[in-house]
Amino acid sequence: MTEDTKFHHGDAPNNAAPIVEMKDIEKHFGNIIALAGVSFDVKPGECHCLLGDNGAGKSTFIKTMSGVHKPTHGEILFEGKTMDFSSPRDAMEAGIATVFQDLAMIPLMSVTRNFFMGREPTIGRGPLKRMDVARMNEITMTEMRQMGINLRAPDQAVGTLSGGERQTVAIARAVHFGAKILILDEPTSALGVRQTSNVLATIDKVRKQGIGVVFISHNVRHALAVGDRFTVLNRGKTLGTAQRGEISPEQLQDLMAGGQEMAQLEGSLGGTV
Amino acid sequence: MTEDTKFHHGDAPNNAAPIVEMKDIEKHFGNIIALAGVSFDVKPGECHCLLGDNGAGKSTFIKTMSGVHKPTHGEILFEGKTMDFSSPRDAMEAGIATVFQDLAMIPLMSVTRNFFMGREPTIGRGPLKRMDVARMNEITMTEMRQMGINLRAPDQAVGTLSGGERQTVAIARAVHFGAKILILDEPTSALGVRQTSNVLATIDKVRKQGIGVVFISHNVRHALAVGDRFTVLNRGKTLGTAQRGEISPEQLQDLMAGGQEMAQLEGSLGGTV
Amino acid sequence: MSDSSPAVDERLKSEGLGARIMKRPELGAIAGVILVTVFFLATADAAMFTTSGIINFMTPAAQLGILAIGAALLMIGGEFDLSIGSMVAFAGLFFAAATVTFGLPLVIAIPATFVFAACVGSINGFIVIRSGLPSFIVTLAFLFILRGLSLVGLKLATGGSTQLRGVRDATEGDWLAPFFSGDAFGGLFAWLAEKGIVETFKNGNPKVPGLPIEIIWFVIIALLATWVLLRTPAGNWIFAAGGDSNAATNSGVPVRRVKISLFMVTACCAALVAIITVMDAGSTDSRRGFQKEFEAIIAAVIGGCLLTGGYGSAIGAFFGSIIFGMVVIGLTYTDFDQDWFQVFLGGMLLIAVLFNNAIRKRVTGER
Amino acid sequence: MSDSSPAVDERLKSEGLGARIMKRPELGAIAGVILVTVFFLATADAAMFTTSGIINFMTPAAQLGILAIGAALLMIGGEFDLSIGSMVAFAGLFFAAATVTFGLPLVIAIPATFVFAACVGSINGFIVIRSGLPSFIVTLAFLFILRGLSLVGLKLATGGSTQLRGVRDATEGDWLAPFFSGDAFGGLFAWLAEKGIVETFKNGNPKVPGLPIEIIWFVIIALLATWVLLRTPAGNWIFAAGGDSNAATNSGVPVRRVKISLFMVTACCAALVAIITVMDAGSTDSRRGFQKEFEAIIAAVIGGCLLTGGYGSAIGAFFGSIIFGMVVIGLTYTDFDQDWFQVFLGGMLLIAVLFNNAIRKRVTGER
Amino acid sequence: QDIIVVSHGQANDPFWSVVKNGVDLAAQHTGANVEYRAPETFDMVAMSQLIDAAVNQEPDGIVVSIPDGDALGPSIMRATQAGIPVISMNSGSDVAAELGAALHVGQSEFDAGKAAGAKLAEMGGTTAICVNHEVGNVALDLRCSGFEEGFGGSVEVLPTGNDPAEIESKVSAALASNEDVDTVMALGASLAGEPSLAAAKASGRDVNVASFDLSANFLESIAAGDAAFAIDQQQFLQGYLPVVFLANNAKYGLMPGGNVPSGPNLVTQEKAGQAIELSAQGIR
Ligand SMILES: Nc1ncnc2c1ncn2[C@@H]1O[C@H](COP(=O)(O)OP(=O)(O)OP(=O)(O)O)[C@@H](O)[C@H]1O
Ligand SMILES: Nc1ncnc2c1ncn2[C@@H]1O[C@H](COP(=O)(O)OP(=O)(O)OP(=O)(O)O)[C@@H](O)[C@H]1O
Ligand SMILES: [Mg+2]
Ligand SMILES: [Mg+2]
């Protein structure tokens, strides 16, 4: 496992003001405590990795960031101002685009319709204002091809796509609409090797444009490949945040496992799973 | 990337009769050709990896193996006899357990009920025959703990579990019921590092018991860690099958990418994504 | 890999008894029952909550409830049956014709009716499964077909009338009759009346001759259905089939068999109601059971079943039927003008369901 | 990364025009229409397919269809409205009272009726959204409430009767009236009759005085709804909201606003039917629109809408209504014993839907 | 005094709303506390339960309609055995006495149908349709079969729904497919009579349309000579009289000695004018 990558890191000034700052977020579901006080921020142009064991609360956390859940307790600052997103649409309009772990796609609808869901481009005006279907189809096919997926047709129903194709639609959509912050919840989990490297390259690209990226992954290697900072969650709490270079892959992997010992595989996987 | 692992490989005699043999399978959905003639077999005690790009047809292929789809063309031999599973239940009764990519879980039902869905243990008899709820809960908790997940309660609805927790339920279930063949469609995609190493260790364990394992993954490292043979699919066709040791990780990765060039990441990920 | 489960998970808040109870869909509807009871205690004639009054509203609730429990099982299993109302008429005709026209004894007529109903139910189920059409449209067709056949059959059996009478005479004295008609525990009630524990009319007759048999069936079926749903593999399959029939099939649940069986069970529930009401009324006509499919679904939904399947309970349907029965009959004990009846009926239903929902959310802390 | 898309993907078989057409849910129902037409061509009196016969069955089909299209939009959006039938009665009362009792001109009465209906619809929607209860149960409550209020309101407006008359006198001569009542293209039809293209009575009058205005509304609304569904962002949101409201919300679709708007649209469809029928009949009574909610849902489902939401089309509902209207009216043109009416109705519906389904599967190669 | 009326017709049915108006007026006149109850649809089982509910309240009298003596018998007998005076109205003249009812106010549906049939046959009808908007409702079925008997000629029952537009189309269809039809008998004036009339007019043929019960619009058509006649059973009296009887019975122990026939009363062109106003007020 090597750390010298072709991506350039650390360009983002460490002292830039964060775009989003989450302070001491708690989230309870009935009697279940999913988050027990987590603080986190994202600065422009950085890729902040959120890591942690299964069930640590990563998805719950980014869902409060993108307006899906209201935090039970805690404060969200967006560009310095207290924010209270009442719906994901609000968050989106503020410039936060998210790839959810469950992808948030409608299986019965076509790829194009899913791609532009909620933000359809229109042409014409007055009563003749309508979706620009031709452009929508074209954008969809192009963006998907850039991610390494050749769709047969833009009107195939998402429910009939393969797992990786579907995930790619969600990523391409978020990238297309991500204005200030791009949140990716395990975006590469179902992707093939080619698509994965495209996604990692894309993360690097959008970061260079000054967009803040929140990247959740279970793959230490993917995280280290693109991450500038690493925050590890465990059982609803933060275990700490590390800068790139401050921490070794093995240390990071240990933290991600929640400090518990792992099965006897170390050797076979060259240190990191 | 190293190839010497702690698992023992190649124990299964290469000349053992395959448990399942699939010959020249084709599958069409309406006018979409998902599989264009794929042959494949699994022998007892081996882990046969099925690899390939997104949309290559891996999931479709294993679904024909586990009785979900009927092949449009081709033959399935189970223990030497032509088999025509009319439903997944038939396949299951023959001893094939599957973790589907979409997990096949009912979100509104509890973990325990999902775990035993279709194969509930009972106690009592006659009209008093009933599910052995206490035992079911206990088995569920134990099996999940073995995979590295501490559930809060066995009656939590699966829909409220985290992505990785949910995937673990599906894996634990298949392992618990897998009698002759265990099919795992990207089982580690949502898992944390600890859980992943547990799953890989589990694959090794069941293989030692003489069960044939079909393992689908996009992670070359995971495949190489446990695989005995590797079959690569591309656009609905087989690119070929290789024995462990006959092929280098880089070659394999190239095959999985469908022979197309990858983004400029090679360096950063130490050769394999 | 070997970390032992901590005795108490720090990620769980402790939870009151109330929250634990209210989480069960089968008990949520109780809040509605209580609200409706309080409302009628305040507004209705005191006669409503005497023994006879309670039995009076429990009788229609029980008849509806038997259907509602069948409908609830089917809804949990992910399907509808709109033909149960017509099935009541059709099975009623079959049963009445068997006893009156063909003079069969109950011991033959009753099983025959059930078998017959189950067959029709399985046809429903078979078409739904084979065609992949929504059960809504298939059973809707049977709503019309069975209703039409009841009319034709009645005219055949009676030679032109749409009413077939004489069932009471035909079944009188049959040893099976007490299980399907009349009142149970008549002696007990007479004794209670003597002791002054249940009310009597001015002339001394006990106001309640006994516990109507349908109430007993209702309770038995509710318990049985609850047992099946919560404690047997079949129950697990029903939830699974309704929750996501694809996932269930892929996990090895025999979804087709489950669904067809549920259609048969629902049809048998309709047949049971048909037998009970025909024997009680002594006659049948082609309007019997009219719109009962609708009311059964209402009761099941009030009781917390989801229309989309996979969630609900038999006990919920039990209380849902009681709420519905209480509101419908209860309003007649109040002084409201009949013109306003439907307004109140709708309002009460809405308030009961909203209340039940609000209480549940509050208690379980859900949002 | 830069592989260009191959001109023809080798993973696609070529596909006939038939398959491409049948894949669209909006056109699947055509097979049913054709089947029903063929059936009646074979069995019914020739009068059924004369111009006057066609208009005769198209009129109820159109009235139903306007409701069905509203219901279809709502169903695609994932909700039900069981109160549309009662809404027809209630909006009819409102409209009749506005014109007769208060003597308002149509230019005020009609918009007022629509605004009023939209308000009631939004109340429905608001309760559904806020409480999270299934719309089935909420709108069911409004089914009863609105029906009851229509009765109470009628008695108030008339001083005791359940029929409010005089609408025709009150609206006669109003310049807006021709848009909502009577027949269009009267001149054209007279001319056609003269030329012998449409049939005439023996005395030379054309048998058809014109095209009933509801048919024109029906077609316009079907086209409009199709346009909205297929070509506007709102349509995309409707499909998304019904397909998976969680996923839609998370993707930034304003699901609440979409659903509340749909409830308002549906209520306005009911109001339109109310205005048309009240002006045509010249009177309204408390039974107007009875069970229309049910028929509207039937028509939408025949036309391919899924009850679970997220799938369907307005054109499907259009053809579904025509199938339903044709079967209901068409059977009167046949020689079948009318006792068998419901049996045939159910059977025809089932066969039409099965046929349509089978054809679609065959053509698209789906299994 | 408390008096409860249980009928099989819904309050929003135009026919029964007139009965209810009669009940309400009687309540005013006698000062009794009267309640009107009916099941949601024509449902004998539900109706028997409503009677049971009424008996439980031990009123001073119960008024019932009896469309099915078998189904309602036990409930009615329970009332009479409990010493509650019962008067039957509208339907059930045949079984009323047997069940212990003090008397019956009403007309036999069958006889009314027969009278109408005879009258229409006399007007020259040979082929008729009987528009039944609620098939299986025994009261309506009886009207049709009575009509069939009285009419003598060929009669076809036309089953329809509850929707005026549908009824109009169906009558049109029936007229178009059988050129011989010269008579249409509707079973309810506003629901079926008016649309039948519209269909008959549109057909351009000379068709006699008659209807059971009254509605203002239909009466106007009778007055204008478009419709033949309407059969009025003066159901206002069926609501009014029993309540008055029972109130007086409770007060003074008085009760008439026999059944009161409230109809039938054929409203023809001459008599229609006067009925229109009353019908618009819900009295006829
Ligand atoms: N709606 C809910 N109701 C109850 N519990 C919930 C709900 N959503 C999440 N949880 C619980 O909260 C915890 C955190 O879940 P979350 O999905 O945030 O984990 P995660 O870190 O994303 O895990 P993974 O890596 O497996 O995706 C889990 O234990 C889960 O069971
Ligand atoms: N039901 C279906 N209808 C139409 N096309 C389908 C259907 N199921 C799969 N396909 C298509 O078949 C191809 C193969 O799909 P499959 O799910 O087998 O891919 P996969 O190899 O599992 O990919 P991934 O790695 O992304 O999971 C895909 O292009 C998909 O779009
Ligand atoms: Mg997660
Ligand atoms: Mg796959």
mmCIF file of all heavy atoms in Angstrom, chain D residues 4 43-44 86 147 150 156-157 183 188 208-209 218 227 239 251 261 271 284 308 321-322 324:
data_model
loop_
_atom_site.group_PDB
_atom_site.id
_atom_site.type_symbol
_atom_site.label_atom_id
_atom_site.label_comp_id
_atom_site.label_asym_id
_atom_site.label_seq_id
_atom_site.Cartn_x
_atom_site.Cartn_y
_atom_site.Cartn_z
ATOM 1 N N SER D 4 -16.179 5.498 -27.268
ATOM 2 C CA SER D 4 -17.408 6.115 -27.749
ATOM 3 C C SER D 4 -18.504 5.067 -27.765
ATOM 4 O O SER D 4 -18.257 3.879 -27.936
ATOM 5 C CB SER D 4 -17.171 6.657 -29.160
ATOM 6 O OG SER D 4 -16.961 5.575 -30.034
ATOM 7 N N THR D 43 -72.091 -9.145 -30.990
ATOM 8 C CA THR D 43 -73.277 -9.546 -30.224
ATOM 9 C C THR D 43 -74.339 -8.474 -30.116
ATOM 10 O O THR D 43 -75.496 -8.786 -29.860
ATOM 11 C CB THR D 43 -72.881 -9.941 -28.793
ATOM 12 O OG1 THR D 43 -72.223 -8.822 -28.187
ATOM 13 C CG2 THR D 43 -71.964 -11.140 -28.774
ATOM 14 N N ALA D 44 -73.941 -7.196 -30.243
ATOM 15 C CA ALA D 44 -74.910 -6.157 -29.912
ATOM 16 C C ALA D 44 -75.711 -5.739 -31.126
ATOM 17 O O ALA D 44 -75.327 -5.982 -32.270
ATOM 18 C CB ALA D 44 -74.205 -4.947 -29.307
ATOM 19 N N SER D 86 -68.520 11.707 -3.548
ATOM 20 C CA SER D 86 -69.250 12.626 -2.680
ATOM 21 C C SER D 86 -68.966 14.060 -3.058
ATOM 22 O O SER D 86 -69.821 14.939 -2.934
ATOM 23 C CB SER D 86 -68.847 12.405 -1.223
ATOM 24 O OG SER D 86 -69.049 11.076 -0.859
ATOM 25 N N ARG D 147 -70.774 13.532 1.721
ATOM 26 C CA ARG D 147 -72.083 13.016 1.330
ATOM 27 C C ARG D 147 -73.135 13.501 2.320
ATOM 28 O O ARG D 147 -74.224 13.939 1.938
ATOM 29 C CB ARG D 147 -72.018 11.483 1.278
ATOM 30 C CG ARG D 147 -73.269 10.755 0.916
ATOM 31 C CD ARG D 147 -73.704 10.896 -0.504
ATOM 32 N NE ARG D 147 -72.754 10.383 -1.480
ATOM 33 C CZ ARG D 147 -72.812 10.649 -2.778
ATOM 34 N NH1 ARG D 147 -73.787 11.397 -3.256
ATOM 35 N NH2 ARG D 147 -71.915 10.189 -3.598
ATOM 36 N N SER D 150 -73.855 17.158 1.902
ATOM 37 C CA SER D 150 -74.676 17.445 0.722
ATOM 38 C C SER D 150 -76.147 17.330 1.070
ATOM 39 O O SER D 150 -76.964 18.169 0.677
ATOM 40 C CB SER D 150 -74.374 16.461 -0.410
ATOM 41 O OG SER D 150 -73.012 16.389 -0.641
ATOM 42 N N LEU D 156 -81.395 22.313 3.562
ATOM 43 C CA LEU D 156 -81.380 23.730 3.929
ATOM 44 C C LEU D 156 -81.777 24.588 2.740
ATOM 45 O O LEU D 156 -82.602 25.499 2.848
ATOM 46 C CB LEU D 156 -79.970 24.130 4.364
ATOM 47 C CG LEU D 156 -79.680 24.113 5.846
ATOM 48 C CD1 LEU D 156 -78.248 24.546 6.080
ATOM 49 C CD2 LEU D 156 -80.655 25.044 6.553
ATOM 50 N N ALA D 157 -81.156 24.269 1.590
ATOM 51 C CA ALA D 157 -81.348 25.128 0.421
ATOM 52 C C ALA D 157 -82.768 25.022 -0.131
ATOM 53 O O ALA D 157 -83.275 25.966 -0.733
ATOM 54 C CB ALA D 157 -80.333 24.777 -0.659
ATOM 55 N N ASP D 183 -74.559 20.549 -26.185
ATOM 56 C CA ASP D 183 -73.799 19.881 -27.229
ATOM 57 C C ASP D 183 -73.019 20.900 -28.030
ATOM 58 O O ASP D 183 -73.476 22.017 -28.267
ATOM 59 C CB ASP D 183 -74.756 19.135 -28.162
ATOM 60 C CG ASP D 183 -75.625 18.167 -27.404
ATOM 61 O OD1 ASP D 183 -75.070 17.229 -26.820
ATOM 62 O OD2 ASP D 183 -76.857 18.368 -27.376
ATOM 63 N N LEU D 188 -72.589 21.730 -37.288
ATOM 64 C CA LEU D 188 -71.890 20.699 -38.046
ATOM 65 C C LEU D 188 -72.728 19.436 -38.164
ATOM 66 O O LEU D 188 -72.884 18.865 -39.246
ATOM 67 C CB LEU D 188 -70.565 20.383 -37.352
ATOM 68 C CG LEU D 188 -69.732 19.279 -37.996
ATOM 69 C CD1 LEU D 188 -69.204 19.733 -39.340
ATOM 70 C CD2 LEU D 188 -68.575 18.877 -37.089
ATOM 71 N N VAL D 208 -78.471 12.994 -33.675
ATOM 72 C CA VAL D 208 -77.527 13.527 -32.698
ATOM 73 C C VAL D 208 -77.490 15.025 -32.855
ATOM 74 O O VAL D 208 -77.087 15.528 -33.905
ATOM 75 C CB VAL D 208 -76.114 12.990 -32.957
ATOM 76 C CG1 VAL D 208 -75.344 12.860 -31.680
ATOM 77 C CG2 VAL D 208 -76.174 11.707 -33.726
ATOM 78 N N PRO D 209 -77.900 15.743 -31.836
ATOM 79 C CA PRO D 209 -77.918 17.200 -31.979
ATOM 80 C C PRO D 209 -76.524 17.802 -31.930
ATOM 81 O O PRO D 209 -76.339 18.959 -32.266
ATOM 82 C CB PRO D 209 -78.753 17.658 -30.784
ATOM 83 C CG PRO D 209 -78.649 16.563 -29.786
ATOM 84 C CD PRO D 209 -78.441 15.299 -30.557
ATOM 85 N N PHE D 218 -63.423 15.784 -21.745
ATOM 86 C CA PHE D 218 -62.752 14.508 -21.479
ATOM 87 C C PHE D 218 -61.474 14.411 -22.304
ATOM 88 O O PHE D 218 -60.380 14.146 -21.786
ATOM 89 C CB PHE D 218 -63.746 13.395 -21.834
ATOM 90 C CG PHE D 218 -63.248 11.987 -21.690
ATOM 91 C CD1 PHE D 218 -62.432 11.608 -20.625
ATOM 92 C CD2 PHE D 218 -63.643 11.015 -22.610
ATOM 93 C CE1 PHE D 218 -62.015 10.299 -20.490
ATOM 94 C CE2 PHE D 218 -63.225 9.714 -22.476
ATOM 95 C CZ PHE D 218 -62.413 9.355 -21.425
ATOM 96 N N TRP D 227 -49.814 15.281 -21.309
ATOM 97 C CA TRP D 227 -48.748 16.266 -21.506
ATOM 98 C C TRP D 227 -48.021 16.526 -20.181
ATOM 99 O O TRP D 227 -46.788 16.501 -20.105
ATOM 100 C CB TRP D 227 -49.357 17.540 -22.072
ATOM 101 C CG TRP D 227 -48.526 18.775 -21.932
ATOM 102 C CD1 TRP D 227 -48.592 19.685 -20.919
ATOM 103 C CD2 TRP D 227 -47.518 19.245 -22.824
ATOM 104 N NE1 TRP D 227 -47.683 20.687 -21.111
ATOM 105 C CE2 TRP D 227 -47.006 20.454 -22.284
ATOM 106 C CE3 TRP D 227 -46.980 18.771 -24.016
ATOM 107 C CZ2 TRP D 227 -45.997 21.182 -22.892
ATOM 108 C CZ3 TRP D 227 -45.966 19.505 -24.626
ATOM 109 C CH2 TRP D 227 -45.483 20.702 -24.065
ATOM 110 N N PHE D 239 -44.670 11.007 -10.803
ATOM 111 C CA PHE D 239 -44.183 9.628 -10.852
ATOM 112 C C PHE D 239 -43.248 9.342 -9.675
ATOM 113 O O PHE D 239 -43.330 8.289 -9.044
ATOM 114 C CB PHE D 239 -43.418 9.377 -12.157
ATOM 115 C CG PHE D 239 -44.301 9.110 -13.334
ATOM 116 C CD1 PHE D 239 -44.417 10.014 -14.369
ATOM 117 C CD2 PHE D 239 -45.023 7.933 -13.400
ATOM 118 C CE1 PHE D 239 -45.227 9.766 -15.453
ATOM 119 C CE2 PHE D 239 -45.839 7.669 -14.479
ATOM 120 C CZ PHE D 239 -45.948 8.588 -15.511
ATOM 121 N N SER D 251 -34.338 13.077 -3.129
ATOM 122 C CA SER D 251 -33.745 13.589 -4.366
ATOM 123 C C SER D 251 -34.176 15.014 -4.648
ATOM 124 O O SER D 251 -33.898 15.540 -5.709
ATOM 125 C CB SER D 251 -34.164 12.727 -5.555
ATOM 126 O OG SER D 251 -33.942 11.390 -5.282
ATOM 127 N N SER D 261 -51.263 19.202 -4.271
ATOM 128 C CA SER D 261 -51.789 19.705 -5.544
ATOM 129 C C SER D 261 -52.628 18.649 -6.240
ATOM 130 O O SER D 261 -53.675 18.948 -6.818
ATOM 131 C CB SER D 261 -50.657 20.113 -6.492
ATOM 132 O OG SER D 261 -49.706 20.866 -5.816
ATOM 133 N N ALA D 271 -65.438 18.532 -9.388
ATOM 134 C CA ALA D 271 -66.266 19.734 -9.505
ATOM 135 C C ALA D 271 -66.695 19.954 -10.951
ATOM 136 O O ALA D 271 -67.841 20.340 -11.208
ATOM 137 C CB ALA D 271 -65.493 20.935 -8.984
ATOM 138 N N THR D 284 -79.922 19.046 -9.026
ATOM 139 C CA THR D 284 -78.967 18.185 -8.346
ATOM 140 C C THR D 284 -79.668 17.503 -7.186
ATOM 141 O O THR D 284 -80.676 17.994 -6.693
ATOM 142 C CB THR D 284 -77.743 18.971 -7.836
ATOM 143 O OG1 THR D 284 -76.785 18.049 -7.349
ATOM 144 C CG2 THR D 284 -78.125 19.937 -6.728
ATOM 145 N N THR D 308 -50.352 0.721 -6.175
ATOM 146 C CA THR D 308 -49.276 1.070 -5.262
ATOM 147 C C THR D 308 -48.569 2.356 -5.671
ATOM 148 O O THR D 308 -47.678 2.807 -4.967
ATOM 149 C CB THR D 308 -48.257 -0.072 -5.226
ATOM 150 O OG1 THR D 308 -48.054 -0.532 -6.559
ATOM 151 C CG2 THR D 308 -48.772 -1.207 -4.397
ATOM 152 N N SER D 321 -61.771 4.152 -19.047
ATOM 153 C CA SER D 321 -63.137 4.662 -18.883
ATOM 154 C C SER D 321 -63.992 4.259 -20.066
ATOM 155 O O SER D 321 -65.173 3.931 -19.907
ATOM 156 C CB SER D 321 -63.147 6.184 -18.785
ATOM 157 O OG SER D 321 -62.168 6.632 -17.925
ATOM 158 N N ILE D 322 -63.387 4.311 -21.246
ATOM 159 C CA ILE D 322 -64.179 3.934 -22.422
ATOM 160 C C ILE D 322 -64.553 2.461 -22.350
ATOM 161 O O ILE D 322 -65.697 2.084 -22.625
ATOM 162 C CB ILE D 322 -63.408 4.253 -23.724
ATOM 163 C CG1 ILE D 322 -63.236 5.775 -23.834
ATOM 164 C CG2 ILE D 322 -64.140 3.702 -24.933
ATOM 165 C CD1 ILE D 322 -62.496 6.223 -25.053
ATOM 166 N N PHE D 324 -64.923 0.676 -19.670
ATOM 167 C CA PHE D 324 -65.946 0.501 -18.647
ATOM 168 C C PHE D 324 -67.302 1.006 -19.157
ATOM 169 O O PHE D 324 -68.314 0.318 -19.046
ATOM 170 C CB PHE D 324 -65.527 1.243 -17.374
ATOM 171 C CG PHE D 324 -66.348 0.898 -16.176
ATOM 172 C CD1 PHE D 324 -66.117 -0.285 -15.501
ATOM 173 C CD2 PHE D 324 -67.334 1.748 -15.719
ATOM 174 C CE1 PHE D 324 -66.876 -0.617 -14.393
ATOM 175 C CE2 PHE D 324 -68.097 1.420 -14.620
ATOM 176 C CZ PHE D 324 -67.866 0.232 -13.953
#
